[in-house]
Amino acid sequence: MNELLSADLAILLVEPSATQRKIIAKELESEGVTNIDFADTVSSAKSFLEKHKPDLVISSLHLSDGSALDIQQYISEIQPEQPIPFMLVSSETRKTQLEAFKQSGVVAILPKPFTKVHLGRALNATLDLLSPQELELELYDVQDLRILIVDDSRLARNHIRRVLTNLGANRFTEAEDGEQAINFLNEQMFDLIVTDFNMPNVNGQELAEHIRNSGEHSHIPILMVTSEANDTHLANVAQSGVNALCDKPFEPEVVKQLLHSILEQD
């Protein structure tokens, strides 16, 4: 399989401002992307997506007839198993406004204005999603890994599963929160747990502490994905016994490196 490049990407850019469309398109072209279609509203984006399947949708947050979240939700409805990768571009900095996107599996959230580095990393994350590359391990056969994915967002679970599938994994169990995850742990064994932090009933930190205090499961590697940026909070989570922390939205290459590190530990 030939390696997919930025120049191969077909992108739908949803932006209400003609000036911003030109600016973003110019930045994309500087990265080698020339196959760009445009929409300026939620309705026009949906009309395009009814007929075409781009490799990536890049959208501004606020549109005249809705928001980028409406487009992302529409994508998840028409392609629930493998939704089109979605990238948000926004000057919004309030956590409450961005949390829904972080929890839904966007490939990146770019600030306005964004830098060449921001865009390059986001495009690379998209390419990683579209170009499977198996994780090579000495201690495990990645195809035999029994993985428990714990997240209260279906979209987030789908995104995590897609990233892990691209790395060669195919044995998944999904839990909607820590409480359900504990029930699964009482019934079967796992080789890896990938969990969110913010969940109802039993959150990710409480789940990690339960696992580390369990004689039967205390050895299982735990990768926690979290949208929390507070250093004190992250330090507390780390003390609960997780093997690695990963930000939301996460880059597939970062996940690959973290998994290689925690699964190959002696």
Side-chain angles (χ1 to χ4, degrees):
M1 181 177 177
N2 295 328
E3 182 180 0
L4 194 65
L5 303 174
S6 295
D8 301 318
L9 292 174
I11 292 178
L12 172 63
L13 174 58
V14 189
E15 167 60 57
S17 164
T19 299
Q20 286 295 318
R21 286 199 298 271
K22 291 179 181 178
I23 292 173
I24 297 173
K26 184 176 180 180
E27 292 294 335
L28 288 169
E29 289 166 2
S30 73
E31 293 291 327
V33 181
T34 58
N35 189 358
I36 308 170
D37 288 286
F38 302 93
D40 57 4
T41 61
V42 172
S43 59
S44 60
K46 287 182 177 180
S47 296
F48 180 88
L49 292 168
E50 286 176 358
K51 303 175 183 177
H52 308 282
K53 182 186 175 184
D55 298 307
L56 172 67
V57 175
I58 302 176
S59 179
S60 177
L61 175 56
H62 300 294
L63 302 161
S64 61
D65 56 346
S67 76
L69 198 58
D70 297 314
I71 300 173
Q72 191 182 25
Q73 290 173 342
Y74 178 74
I75 290 171
S76 70
E77 291 171 3
I78 61 175
Q79 290 188 221
E81 294 304 316
Q82 281 204 323
I84 300 166
F86 191 93
M87 185 187 307
L88 179 70
V89 180
S90 175
S91 57
E92 182 63 70
T93 58
R94 290 173 294 176
K95 177 185 174 183
T96 54
Q97 297 297 311
L98 299 176
E99 187 67 14
F101 293 97
K102 290 185 177 183
Q103 298 293 346
S104 63
V106 294
V107 293
I109 298 177
L110 270 61
K112 276 187 179 180
F114 55 79
T115 67
K116 185 178 181 67
V117 172
H118 288 142
L119 181 60
R121 290 180 62 174
L123 291 176
N124 285 338
T126 302
L127 293 172
D128 287 338
L129 273 182
L130 299 173
S131 305
Q133 186 175 10
E134 186 166 312
L135 176 65
E136 296 182 2
L137 300 169
E138 294 182 5
L139 302 179
Y140 295 91
D141 183 335
V142 68
Q143 295 183 13
D144 292 334
L145 281 175
R146 297 164 296 180
I147 303 174
L148 176 59
I149 300 173
V150 192
D151 200 303
D152 57 317
S153 165
R154 178 182 59 82
L155 292 177
R157 293 197 306 273
N158 286 350
H159 183 62
I160 293 169
R161 188 177 66 246
R162 183 176 185 179
V163 170
L164 296 175
T165 299
N166 282 359
L167 296 178
N170 55 40
R171 299 181 65 183
F172 303 109
T173 301
E174 297 184 20
E176 296 180 357
D177 56 35
E179 183 177 27
Q180 188 176 36
I182 291 171
N183 290 334
F184 283 133
L185 285 163
N186 290 333
E187 300 171 354
Q188 56 188 296
M189 293 296 297
F190 296 96
D191 302 301
L192 172 68
I193 295 173
V194 181
T195 180
D196 186 23
F197 173 77
N198 288 309
M199 296 181 293
N201 300 319
V202 175
N203 66 31
Q205 182 173 350
E206 293 165 339
L207 173 62
E209 291 171 348
H210 173 86
I211 292 168
R212 291 296 173 248
N213 291 323
S214 165
E216 188 175 8
H217 303 292
S218 60
H219 65 285
I220 303 176
I222 303 171
L223 171 62
M224 182 174 289
V225 290
T226 175
S227 59
E228 297 288 342
N230 182 281
D231 290 340
T232 301
H233 165 82
L234 294 178
N236 290 335
V237 171
Q239 290 176 3
S240 66
V242 300
N243 297 81
L245 286 165
C246 187
D247 293 334
K248 281 186 176 183
F250 56 78
E251 300 171 22
E253 181 60 28
V254 172
V255 173
K256 182 178 180 181
Q257 293 172 3
L258 288 174
L259 291 182
H260 188 278
S261 174
I262 66 178
L263 291 171
E264 295 290 68
Q265 289 179 347
D266 294 330

